[in-house]
Amino acid sequence: MFVRRNNPLWRASDRIESGMLLGLFVLFLLGGPVLAWWAAGGVYDSAVAEALRDRRNAFQVEAELAPAAPLPGQSSTPGLARAQWTAPDGTRRAGDVGVLPTQRAGDKVTLWVTRSGEQRAAPSDHNPVAKAGLVAVVMIVLAAAALNGLRKIGLILLDRHRAKAWQRDWLEVGPRWSRDLRS
């Protein structure tokens, strides 16, 4: 790739290849980090907004387990018990909650509820920095793969051009070298 410029064997296609490789390398060094920074920033902002939205709509409350009295014809479900709690809006709520086998009536359990007191899953453990880092790495890898693909396409085109030039030159020189007088 790095050949002295006054080398008589250095063809124009060699200069084009050298320039193409240098250009792609510089593009990767300058464009890759910018692309990764842009994509990671967008993912980070989105993940932070999602975490805030999730936290605004999830409230942790204490619920007291009530004595279980199954209705006639029903059996109590293992791992579930009736509980009562006060919703963030002040209303009293009741429902089935997951319990451990060692928990009994009167024990306190922690629940995640909506503003109106409906049970919900705990807010997901958002880690915006990890998500942004992963996206940055993926973008760098994708940029490298795309530029490598462009390099391969460029080399294929240059090799085609070189093969045609070689064939053209050989048709001119070949008969003189081989002393083939058919031409």
Side-chain angles (χ1 to χ4, degrees):
M1 180 169 128
F2 299 105
V3 180
R4 286 184 26 211
R5 300 239 185 254
N6 59 358
N7 186 339
L9 298 178
W10 210 33
R11 303 166 292 191
S13 62
D14 295 330
R15 286 190 293 277
I16 292 171
E17 179 181 355
S18 180
M20 178 188 70
L21 292 176
L22 181 63
L24 289 173
F25 184 69
V26 169
L27 185 61
F28 177 72
L29 288 180
L30 297 178
V34 170
L35 180 64
W37 182 270
W38 172 77
V43 167
Y44 179 82
D45 292 343
S46 174
V48 166
E50 181 184 351
L52 288 174
R53 190 171 43 253
D54 205 15
R55 289 286 178 195
R56 278 195 302 263
N57 296 315
F59 301 92
Q60 205 171 19
V61 296
E62 290 271 319
E64 184 177 336
L65 297 179
L71 296 173
Q74 292 181 338
S75 62
S76 62
T77 307
L80 289 180
R82 275 316 259 179
Q84 297 177 351
W85 63 90
T86 303
D89 64 2
T91 59
R92 291 286 295 162
R93 303 297 300 250
D96 291 334
V97 297
V99 293
L100 299 173
T102 57
Q103 291 178 316
R104 303 283 177 243
D107 287 351
K108 301 278 187 194
V109 293
T110 302
L111 299 178
W112 285 96
V113 296
T114 62
R115 189 175 306 282
S116 63
E118 297 291 325
Q119 287 187 64
R120 62 159 284 163
S124 58
D125 184 23
H126 299 281
N127 190 345
V129 174
K131 286 180 183 179
L134 179 63
V135 167
V137 168
V138 168
M139 292 308 290
I140 290 289
V141 169
L142 288 176
L147 292 175
N148 188 42
L150 287 174
R151 180 190 67 85
K152 286 187 183 239
I153 290 170
L155 289 178
I156 288 170
L157 294 174
L158 282 171
D159 287 343
R160 257 192 218 159
H161 172 74
R162 289 174 183 150
K164 285 180 184 176
W166 175 261
Q167 185 178 20
R168 204 172 37 250
D169 290 346
W170 185 250
L171 285 174
E172 179 185 324
V173 173
R176 285 185 278 166
W177 252 26
S178 64
R179 297 190 175 119
D180 186 3
L181 301 175
R182 286 185 272 164
S183 56

